Amino acid sequence: MRRFGRTVGRVVGTTFGTTARAVPGVMIGLITAGLAVGVGELVAVWSGPQTAPAIAVGSAAIDLTPTPLKEYAIRNFGTDDKPVLLTGIYLTLAAIAVAAGILAVRRPMVGVGLVAVFGAVGAWAALSRPTARGGDLWPSILGAVVAGAAMVLLVRSYQASQSPEESASRLPPWAQDRRGFLTLAAGAAGTAAVSGLVGRTVVDKRYNVALKRSRVRIPAPATRAAAIPPAVHPNVAGLSSFITPNSDFYRVDTALVLPQVDPDAWTLRIRGLVDRPLELSFAELLNRPLVEHDQTLSCVSNEVGGPYVGTARWIGASLADLLREAGVQRGADQLVGRSIDGMTIGTPVESVLDGRTGLLAVAMNGEPLPIAHGFPCRMLVPGFFGYVSATKWLVDLELTTFADYDSYWVRRGYSKIAPVKTASRIDVPKPFAKVPAGSVTVAGVAWATHRGIDAVEVRADGGPWQLARLAAADTPDTWRQWTHQLNLASGLHKLEVRATDATGAVQPEQRVDTVPNGATGWHSVVITAA
């Protein structure tokens, strides 16, 4: 055993050298990785932000991630899941770069080989995207080429500084000593930083459509929504606002960089099993009779009592009218919406044509759609979770069948059709709150989109259910707020809520996970009365 340990020690020592040798290796590895990323960002100025190496790899990683892990990320990181993923990618790259640099000090071609692998993975990831073009591989390829050349140059300079007689002939005199090596390293690091910063800055400016969005003027809707009754929102501190501000509206999607869609160049195709394929520009869409409608939107990843639900006042063109103009052919039962980033969402055709207010939405709460919520156009069909009804950055509608095509999330284990489940949530008091004993105000929201809410019940400590007071209703497509007074003695209490929708169905007690078609169960909070 002692001899085996000495053998392992010699192998490790030969490969990684002493600390003095490892430090230059770490430096070389990190600098060359920085060059690969920085040059890639710079080249992405021409090929688009989604082709930058880290973004391309991250997007491919999202597609390859198993569904349970995706749900874990959404549950634990929420809307910060994408920064967390990118941080993980950069840390992984840094670890690989350190290993490549240390190996390159003694075996340059091994280090360069790892850089080449990084470039190949980035190129593959870029080309794996549904909307990929041939030129999308260049940021990763050119980044890897520059990084590999820099690694060879830095390694030779370092080796010359240690043994001038071995490498002097391959380098200019000034690069053959320690100062020369440090000068080369500093120059390469500066190049990496400048190229990355310039690339990201130019990309953000060149592809950002915020200015064009600010110039969009949404015409007055031909069909206005009724005024929201003042009594929809009880005056209870801490209760969610009835209309969710755009800045607070949840965002759950797979886009690592927000698609920047130029409204002047945007077109929507309607094709597939239709009699008359259509194509609309944004100006033509705005010229159609617009409809204003209030709708609560919720995500299938929303756990019991979760935050991924919100209500907004939307303006858009009637989706049903457009499908009728196109002429839906017999047998077409699925409407597939495609985003500009390749996301696909499948909606039952019958639900679009059954009289509900399905929209090609262009405005949200009185302003053009925010970029994060699908500018310039998104689809909305009440009654379903977003993953089967609410395509953002919409550019294509295809009439097809559920038998012939599985959309993005269906291929990952979710149900093809997913009506919103009856749900309720306690907003007040917050979990683990301390409240005065006696009369305690309990308040929250309940929703069963497109069915409406008829009753909400609250109970404490497993006792009898008590009917809560419902606030005024807006439409069956929006949530309903409620309040109740409970008389609580001093001590620890568990409060629960359940809702009954307009069909008479009571929210089930059994806890079911979000996969494959949404969570169920009663929301509860534990509080202390004193």
Side-chain angles (χ1 to χ4, degrees), residues 105-361:
V105 170
R106 292 190 61 92
R107 297 178 177 85
M109 288 304 100
V110 174
V112 172
L114 286 175
V115 172
V117 169
F118 169 77
V121 170
W124 165 82
L127 292 178
S128 72
R129 311 307 302 144
T131 57
R133 299 165 298 176
D136 291 356
L137 57 77
W138 287 115
S140 294
I141 294 297
L142 293 178
V145 168
V146 173
M151 176 172 280
V152 170
L153 183 61
L154 287 169
V155 167
R156 286 180 176 176
S157 179
Y158 172 72
Q159 290 174 340
S161 70
Q162 301 300 301
S163 303
E165 66 283 356
E166 295 181 9
S167 305
S169 61
R170 293 180 291 178
L171 293 167
W174 62 267
Q176 297 176 17
D177 56 16
R178 183 172 179 273
R179 178 177 293 180
F181 167 70
L182 293 176
T183 299
L184 278 175
T191 301
V194 170
S195 60
L197 180 61
V198 170
R200 178 51 48 188
T201 300
V202 174
V203 161
D204 288 345
K205 183 175 181 180
R206 180 178 181 182
Y207 293 94
N208 194 310
V209 296
L211 180 60
K212 288 197 172 185
R213 175 182 174 271
S214 71
R215 293 172 177 168
V216 170
R217 296 295 176 262
I218 304 298
T223 303
R224 287 192 174 276
I228 298 174
V232 297
H233 181 64
N235 186 22
V236 177
L239 178 61
S240 299
S241 59
F242 182 79
I243 293 293
T244 309
N246 291 353
S247 59
D248 296 334
F249 210 97
Y250 78 91
R251 177 198 163 202
V252 176
D253 53 54
T254 63
L256 273 181
V257 291
L258 288 175
Q260 305 288 320
V261 185
D262 184 346
D264 296 332
W266 178 87
T267 59
L268 174 67
R269 294 187 303 164
I270 302 176
R271 60 188 180 89
L273 298 177
V274 296
D275 297 327
R276 297 169 295 278
L278 300 177
E279 187 168 307
L280 291 173
S281 68
F282 190 58
E284 290 170 331
L285 183 63
L286 293 183
N287 283 333
R288 297 182 67 85
L290 299 182
V291 178
E292 186 176 57
H293 185 64
D294 300 336
Q295 181 186 330
T296 295
L297 188 62
S298 55
C299 181
V300 72
S301 296
N302 198 41
E303 293 191 306
V304 173
Y308 302 136
V309 58
T311 299
R313 172 157 285 192
W314 310 89
I315 295 176
S318 168
L319 181 56
D321 287 352
L322 273 168
L323 293 193
R324 292 189 180 101
E325 287 180 27
V328 178
Q329 295 179 359
R330 186 185 301 274
D333 61 7
Q334 179 177 204
L335 176 64
V336 176
R338 285 185 173 82
S339 167
I340 198 168
D341 68 348
M343 170 60 65
T344 56
I345 284 177
T347 308
V349 171
E350 63 179 2
S351 68
V352 179
L353 301 176
D354 67 2
R356 70 187 75 196
T357 310
L359 297 178
L360 295 178

Side-chain angles (χ1 to χ4, degrees), residues 290-505:
L290 299 182
V291 178
E292 186 176 57
H293 185 64
D294 300 336
Q295 181 186 330
T296 295
L297 188 62
S298 55
C299 181
V300 72
S301 296
N302 198 41
E303 293 191 306
V304 173
Y308 302 136
V309 58
T311 299
R313 172 157 285 192
W314 310 89
I315 295 176
S318 168
L319 181 56
D321 287 352
L322 273 168
L323 293 193
R324 292 189 180 101
E325 287 180 27
V328 178
Q329 295 179 359
R330 186 185 301 274
D333 61 7
Q334 179 177 204
L335 176 64
V336 176
R338 285 185 173 82
S339 167
I340 198 168
D341 68 348
M343 170 60 65
T344 56
I345 284 177
T347 308
V349 171
E350 63 179 2
S351 68
V352 179
L353 301 176
D354 67 2
R356 70 187 75 196
T357 310
L359 297 178
L360 295 178
V362 294
M364 179 180 182
N365 291 334
E367 63 179 73
L369 283 175
I371 294 172
H373 293 288
F375 178 80
C377 177
R378 74 176 298 170
M379 194 172 92
L380 293 171
V381 179
F384 297 94
F385 287 115
Y387 87 95
V388 293
S389 67
T391 316
K392 294 189 285 190
W393 310 293
L394 180 69
V395 294
D396 185 271
L397 289 171
E398 180 185 7
L399 275 297
T400 181
T401 68
F402 282 106
D404 288 339
Y405 186 81
D406 288 338
S407 60
Y408 182 92
W409 289 110
V410 172
R411 295 196 299 270
R412 287 156 178 81
Y414 287 83
S415 299
K416 292 186 177 184
I417 301 175
V420 171
K421 296 182 177 180
T422 303
S424 54
R425 185 181 73 199
I426 298 172
D427 286 352
V428 180
K430 299 297 183 186
F432 311 114
K434 292 183 179 180
V435 300
S439 182
V440 175
T441 299
V442 187
V445 292
W447 62 95
T449 313
H450 198 57
R451 300 188 302 279
I453 293 293
D454 266 9
V456 171
E457 299 169 282
V458 180
R459 72 176 180 179
D461 306 317
W465 288 103
Q466 304 175 36
L467 277 174
R469 180 177 181 176
L470 288 176
D474 181 17
T475 77
D477 291 341
T478 58
W479 58 11
R480 201 160 180 187
Q481 304 197 322
W482 54 268
T483 59
H484 189 64
Q485 298 297 127
L486 285 175
N487 190 31
L488 299 178
S490 297
L492 199 65
H493 299 280
K494 179 182 179 182
L495 311 182
E496 295 174 288
V497 63
R498 69 181 184 186
T500 301
D501 68 25
T503 70

Side-chain angles (χ1 to χ4, degrees), residues 3-23 98-99 101-107:
R3 180 178 299 171
F4 175 77
R6 286 197 299 268
T7 302
V8 171
R10 282 196 300 271
V11 171
V12 173
T14 300
T15 303
F16 293 99
T18 64
T19 301
R21 184 179 293 138
V23 170
V98 166
I102 293 174
L103 288 167
V105 170
R106 292 190 61 92
R107 297 178 177 85

